[in-house]
Amino acid sequence: MNKLSSSARRMISVVILLALVGQACTLSLFEKPTNSGTSTQTPSIIVASPTPQPVAQTNFVVTLPEPLQPNESLAIAIMDEVTGLSVSATQYPMSARDSQTYTASLPLPFNSVVKYRYVRRGATQVLEDTNFNTAIRYRMHFVAGPAEVQDIVADWGDKSFARPTGTIMGQVFNADTGSPLPNLLVSAGGEQFITDSVGRFELNGLPTGTQNLIVYSLDGLYQPFQQGATVAQGNTTVVDLRVKPSRLVNVTFSVGIPSTTVPGVPVRIAGNILQLGNTFADLQGGVSTSTDRMPIMSLQPDGRYSVTLSLPVGTFIQYKYTLGDGFWNAERKADSQWIIHEFIVPSQDMIIQDNVASWSAGDSAPILFEVTVPSVTPPGDIIYIQFNTFGWMEPIPMWPLGNNKWAYKLYGPLNVLGTFSYRYCRNGQCGSVDDAQTAGTASGGRSAQTSVLSQDLQDTVSAWKWFENPEPVTLVGANIAPRASGFIAGIEFQSTYRPNWSYYAPQAFANVQGLGANIAILTPTWTYTTVNPLQFAPVPGKDPLWIDSAIMISQARALGLNVSIFPTPNFPASSSTASTPLSTSFWLGAPRDAQWWQTWFTRYRAFAVNYADLANQTGAQTLILGGDWVTPSLPGGKLPDGTPSNAPADVEAQWKSIIAEVRTHFKGQILWALPYTKATLETPLNFLQDVDGIYLLWSASLSTNPSATKTDYANEAGRLLDNEVFPLASLLKKPLILAVAYPSAAGAASGCVADGAGGCLDWTALSRPNADLSSVSLSLQTQAEIYEAMLNAVNTRPWISGFVSRGYYLPAALQDKSASIHSKPVADILWYWYPRFTGAVK
């Protein structure tokens, strides 16, 4: 094993910490938790609710793209990421220095990191955005002392301005070791970038002038770094930044809660860093904290709640106590106003003693929601409740009562609701894993109304959508020949990601292990945010952060599973239909000139190296490059419409160079994901000699006859494998793994699930959390028969080195139309075949 760098060891330590603190509640309501015990070491500092920090006067000076209208004014909004960026911000009016320059002087806590943005106030409030017409979440300023901050508003949300711009790019390193640092947020001018494995960042489209450049550690393990950076028109300013690591100390939070609180319910801490549930993403309803990722406190004998966390010295912490998230059932001041506690982590261990004044706001009485769920609900599932204010917000885990009953008492903020909607779902996947009565993203939900009198609303979920009456398949025995020790029996997870999925990953890996699989294929993503100029990087909330992927890999390996990483992109949303993959719109809309292609290969190289480093540092066994989406970038590349892609003449050399560089970062097995089509298999790709095997993406048509049998499917699969795939395997003399994706839908065997408009759906269109397509008919039996036929075909072809099921839905069991086999009849088939392929069952 390669020796890990100090930064890698620190990352692994935080992996363990985050995996432990972010757990959903499984305590039974009204059952007094046992005393978990506390450290006998006496900390050096004991405080009763941290006192306000010393402040430094900070003068913000901002230049606007045009003068304000007579009825308009300008404000600076100090953002509250713990409660929610769109639900809580404090605005301070700014004064005009001239027609386009405004100022405001604010007292800000020393050593804090302030998050803010500018707001134009008139008939409506308009937020600033970037030159790419994307919303600015916030700017950042590190308050190291009295200072003047110079900002430039590039654009407003309701207007567009043409102005000169430039770029800041570079790398971030550990100042002590020189190691490059991933997972740091770099920001300037409201643009944000999460550094990759080599510490790389790139901030494009910045207005010319001096920008405040800041490096911020999402987990506080590195101290903030800030400097001015000059942006010149059409130029790239290159900077290398070095940040100092912080050591960890123990901080114990102890809190007393109101006597009106339901006994034994979980109390959590919501805060501004990863360890306190901040996802740094725009979640549903404008919040950023995720309940499932927050630390849960333990009830102590004296009735107080306590938890001890290892936090980095010098980190600016904002936090609040909650029975939900940063918005729902979060603590309030005695006058019902939001409260945020703040402190700087000291250099010694510390105990913080707080008291929650109230969970409520206004005169409305709490509402108790009680629900009885179906007996078929999987025993490991957690029931969530989701509320609708001006749209559905993040679901909140309910409290188990036993006997298929769950409860949740809503204290606040009821003062802003009146009549409102709510609904129930499993494992926090509302909109996908729903109560059948309120299923789907467009559901109006159930109705409730606030009152000055306490309410007890008792509901029953009669059935779960897509899990009404799950039944196992009837298994047909087969004479299965055990394969050599290197045979892959795998499950590939779907690439969609949401921050609250992380809690359910261990359960999903246990399910995969229970099937007899020996490898889990993870598909972490980056997102193309724009096509031209080409921007490709991780986006929090859409793409797992480096630390999220590292945690999942460690969880899978802890269960004895091998791990493969198959990096996959997210593409910009478009007006294309479900029949047209977003990748198609991406390629057809790209300029594909020489400069664009060079940028594309540079971005893919960074993408591949990033995950090669992740694989190396976390002990993953395999890295999979390529995929069906890269087809236009291959030699003789064609666009999805069949026209030439104008790929550069040196495309073969580009791919060989990328593979060679990846090998310098990762010593494990490298596979190439090749989509199965006759044309693809016949196109010579010389660089395939440089990889260790082929990961064949298979959704081939096995029959267009609706009356076809499993035998028909198996015969056709055998014919295609022998006539079209075997020649490639013989030529390359490398392992070939069959990666299969067939939805549980009528028409899947034909390779064309009809879209209802004369076309075919891409198989991923049926994956969650995409909305259900009523034009498609569910057919669990079809999927099971296809899999059984494919496995029989593989069984008689020893030259096939593995079988993988694609599209596994991680967070919950569903018997829907997607390709996921999670708790479907086909899973029982794999449970029979996989252990016999691997020799675990004779």
Side-chain angles (χ1 to χ4, degrees):
M1 177 178 291
N2 294 337
K3 184 177 179 181
L4 293 179
S5 66
S6 60
S7 60
R9 289 193 295 271
R10 288 169 58 80
M11 183 270 290
I12 297 296
S13 299
V14 176
V15 164
I16 296 171
L17 173 64
L18 290 176
L20 290 175
V21 301
Q23 302 295 311
C25 173
T26 55
L27 296 175
S28 181
L29 242 194
F30 313 123
E31 177 183 323
K32 184 176 180 180
T34 58
N35 183 3
S36 60
T38 57
S39 170
T40 58
Q41 179 182 357
T42 301
S44 302
I45 303 175
I46 302 177
V47 299
S49 195
T51 55
Q53 301 294 307
V55 298
Q57 207 67 22
T58 305
N59 189 37
F60 292 89
V61 181
V62 61
T63 302
L64 306 183
E66 67 176 9
L68 299 178
Q69 297 299 310
N71 65 333
E72 292 180 329
S73 62
L74 189 71
I76 181 172
I78 304 300
M79 310 306 296
D80 173 3
E81 198 170 16
V82 182
T83 308
L85 296 181
S86 66
V87 296
S88 178
T90 304
Q91 294 189 8
Y92 298 91
M94 304 191 74
S95 302
R97 178 179 291 177
D98 56 46
S99 64
Q100 290 180 243
T101 308
Y102 285 73
T103 66
S105 185
L106 303 178
L108 300 174
F110 267 109
N111 295 320
S112 66
V113 175
V114 178
K115 299 167 182 177
Y116 67 98
R117 62 188 176 196
Y118 296 103
V119 182
R120 202 179 84 233
R121 304 191 295 191
T124 59
Q125 293 197 28
V126 181
L127 303 179
E128 59 171 327
D129 63 11
T130 71
N131 275 309
F132 302 113
N133 298 316
T134 56
I136 286 179
R137 296 192 77 237
Y138 48 70
R139 300 169 181 263
M140 292 193 293
H141 172 62
F142 175 47
V143 185
E148 180 170 281
V149 180
Q150 300 271 353
D151 289 321
I152 304 168
V153 171
D155 211 9
W156 292 112
D158 61 346
K159 299 182 179 182
S160 293
F161 298 91
R163 62 184 308 156
T165 63
T167 295
I168 302 175
M169 68 179 300
Q171 289 177 276
V172 183
F173 300 92
N174 184 320
D176 290 352
T177 67
S179 302
L181 295 175
N183 211 49
L184 297 179
L185 190 156
V186 182
S187 178
E191 293 276 6
Q192 297 184 354
F193 197 105
I194 305 294
T195 58
D196 63 14
S197 67
V198 297
R200 181 187 65 90
F201 68 91
E202 183 171 348
L203 302 169
N204 295 303
L206 297 173
T208 55
T210 301
Q211 297 285 353
N212 185 45
L213 179 66
I214 183 169
V215 181
Y216 178 77
S217 177
L218 307 182
D219 49 24
L221 287 182
Y222 293 89
Q223 298 170 19
F225 177 90
Q226 181 173 267
Q227 72 175 36
T230 302
V231 178
Q233 181 176 355
N235 288 340
T236 297
T237 301
V238 179
V239 293
D240 283 346
L241 308 175
R242 299 184 182 274
V243 295
K244 294 284 292 183
S246 300
R247 66 182 181 88
L248 298 173
V249 296
N250 290 327
V251 177
T252 298
F253 297 84
S254 174
V255 64
I257 62 174
S259 60
T260 55
T261 308
V262 176
V265 299
V267 178
R268 293 176 166 86
I269 303 179
N272 64 327
I273 61 174
L274 284 177
Q275 297 93 313
L276 300 179
N278 190 3
T279 65
F280 294 88
D282 296 315
L283 306 180
Q284 294 183 85
V287 300
S288 296
T289 55
S290 171
T291 304
D292 295 325
R293 298 168 69 107
M294 296 174 190
I296 295 179
M297 308 185 76
S298 298
L299 179 60
Q300 303 300 307
D302 62 359
R304 293 176 68 83
Y305 282 78
S306 176
V307 68
T308 298
L309 304 174
S310 293
L311 297 177
V313 172
T315 302
F316 174 58
I317 301 292
Q318 296 177 301
Y319 71 97
K320 64 172 70 174
Y321 301 99
T322 179
L323 305 179
D325 60 13
F327 181 80
W328 297 109
N329 274 356
E331 67 170 313
R332 299 279 187 145
K333 298 179 183 177
D335 62 1
S336 297
Q337 298 300 308
W338 293 115
I339 185 171
I340 296 286
H341 307 282
E342 298 180 342
F343 72 102
I344 306 295
V345 178
S347 58
Q348 311 166 72
D349 290 357
M350 176 185 192
I351 290 179
I352 296 173
Q353 296 181 338
D354 289 318
N355 287 287
V356 172
S358 175
W359 304 116
S360 305
D363 297 326
S364 297
I367 303 173
L368 178 63
F369 296 87
E370 296 184 82
V371 63
T372 302
V373 301
S375 60
V376 298
T377 305
D381 278 8
I382 296 172
I383 308 306
Y384 285 62
I385 188 167
Q386 185 182 34
F387 299 109
N388 189 324
T389 51
F390 304 105
W392 290 110
M393 298 191 71
E394 282 295 299
I396 305 295
M398 300 184 73
W399 308 323
L401 301 175
N403 297 320
N404 297 315
K405 295 181 182 295
W406 295 74
Y408 189 75
K409 193 168 188 177
L410 181 62
Y411 295 90
L414 296 174
N415 58 317
V416 299
L417 294 183
T419 299
F420 64 99
S421 300
Y422 68 98
R423 62 179 175 180
Y424 303 107
C425 63
R426 297 163 41 222
N427 292 357
Q429 307 311 306
C430 294
S432 296
V433 191
D434 296 321
D435 171 4
Q437 182 180 329
T438 58
T441 54
S443 171
R446 302 169 186 256
S447 182
Q449 188 169 7
T450 58
S451 170
V452 294
L453 301 176
S454 296
Q455 301 178 67
D456 184 351
L457 303 183
Q458 299 189 9
D459 296 316
T460 298
V461 173
S462 57
W464 295 116
K465 185 67 173 177
W466 308 121
F467 208 77
E468 290 89 343
N469 188 26
E471 295 180 1
V473 70
T474 300
L475 294 173
V476 178
N479 183 20
I480 302 171
R483 297 301 184 92
S485 60
F487 185 84
I488 287 177
I491 300 293
E492 180 191 308
F493 288 76
Q494 71 175 66
S495 59
T496 308
Y497 173 80
R498 298 291 181 270
N500 65 358
W501 288 21
S502 59
Y503 174 70
Y504 295 97
Q507 182 176 306
F509 292 134
N511 292 340
V512 168
Q513 182 195 46
L515 294 175
N518 57 16
I519 189 166
I521 296 95
L522 305 184
T523 54
T525 55
W526 283 7
T527 294
Y528 284 103
T529 50
T530 60
V531 179
N532 188 29
L534 190 65
Q535 297 194 102
F536 186 40
V539 175
K542 293 182 179 179
D543 309 312
L545 299 174
W546 172 282
I547 194 99
D548 297 321
S549 296
I551 288 172
M552 291 180 66
I553 294 168
S554 68
Q555 290 167 337
R557 295 192 66 212
L559 289 171
L561 290 169
N562 291 328
V563 175
S564 178
I565 300 176
F566 182 10
T568 307
N570 287 319
F571 292 96
S574 71
S575 58
S576 61
T577 65
S579 302
T580 306
L582 293 177
S583 59
T584 296
S585 300
F586 169 83
W587 285 112
L588 294 178
R592 302 186 311 281
D593 55 25
Q595 182 176 355
W596 187 91
W597 272 116
Q598 186 56 50
T599 303
W600 188 91
F601 276 105
T602 299
R603 299 291 184 272
Y604 185 90
R605 182 187 299 265
F607 182 49
V609 166
N610 178 79
Y611 286 107
D613 285 332
L614 179 68
N616 182 60
Q617 293 189 20
T618 57
Q621 283 73 25
T622 307
L623 181 68
I624 304 174
L625 303 179
D628 52 2
W629 69 281
V630 303
T631 301
S633 70
L634 301 180
K638 297 290 181 64
L639 295 174
D641 63 3
T643 59
S645 64
N646 195 33
D650 65 346
V651 61
E652 188 87 49
Q654 292 269 17
W655 282 115
K656 290 179 74 69
S657 173
I658 289 172
I659 294 167
E661 183 169 352
V662 165
R663 287 202 183 278
T664 67
H665 291 255
F666 175 62
K667 304 306 180 185
Q669 187 181 49
I670 297 176
L671 304 179
W672 181 265
L674 188 70
Y676 167 78
T677 65
K678 188 174 182 180
T680 301
L681 296 177
E682 292 176 348
T683 302
L685 300 174
N686 295 327
F687 67 82
L688 293 183
Q689 295 292 344
D690 298 345
V691 299
D692 301 312
I694 302 300
Y695 190 73
L696 191 65
L697 308 178
W698 179 280
S699 299
S701 173
L702 301 180
S703 178
T704 57
N705 182 355
S707 302
T709 65
K710 283 187 291 187
T711 302
D712 296 328
Y713 299 157
N715 289 339
E716 177 63 6
R719 186 188 70 81
L720 296 176
L721 290 170
D722 291 340
N723 295 342
E724 298 182 9
V725 179
F726 181 68
L728 176 65
S730 299
L731 178 65
L732 294 176
K733 294 182 173 56
K734 296 177 183 292
L736 185 142
I737 295 94
L738 207 59
V740 172
Y742 287 98
S744 309
S750 69
C752 176
V753 176
D755 64 358
C760 299
L761 292 170
D762 183 77
W763 68 270
T764 60
L766 297 170
S767 299
R768 301 296 171 187
N770 293 335
D772 180 53
L773 299 176
S774 58
S775 62
V776 178
S777 298
L778 176 68
S779 181
L780 299 171
Q781 185 64 27
T782 296
Q783 185 188 42
E785 291 179 352
I786 292 171
Y787 264 77
E788 195 166 0
M790 291 300 307
L791 289 162
N792 273 295
V794 170
N795 190 35
T796 56
R797 288 163 177 82
W799 53 271
I800 296 177
S801 302
F803 186 94
V804 172
S805 172
R806 304 186 69 200
Y808 191 93
Y809 182 62
L810 181 151
L814 277 183
Q815 297 202 335
D816 64 346
K817 303 169 188 175
S818 74
S820 172
I821 59 100
H822 190 175
S823 198
K824 292 180 181 176
V826 68
D828 293 333
I829 294 173
L830 291 181
W831 170 84
Y832 179 82
W833 280 80
Y834 272 180
R836 288 165 175 80
F837 268 149
T838 61
V841 173
K842 303 299 184 182

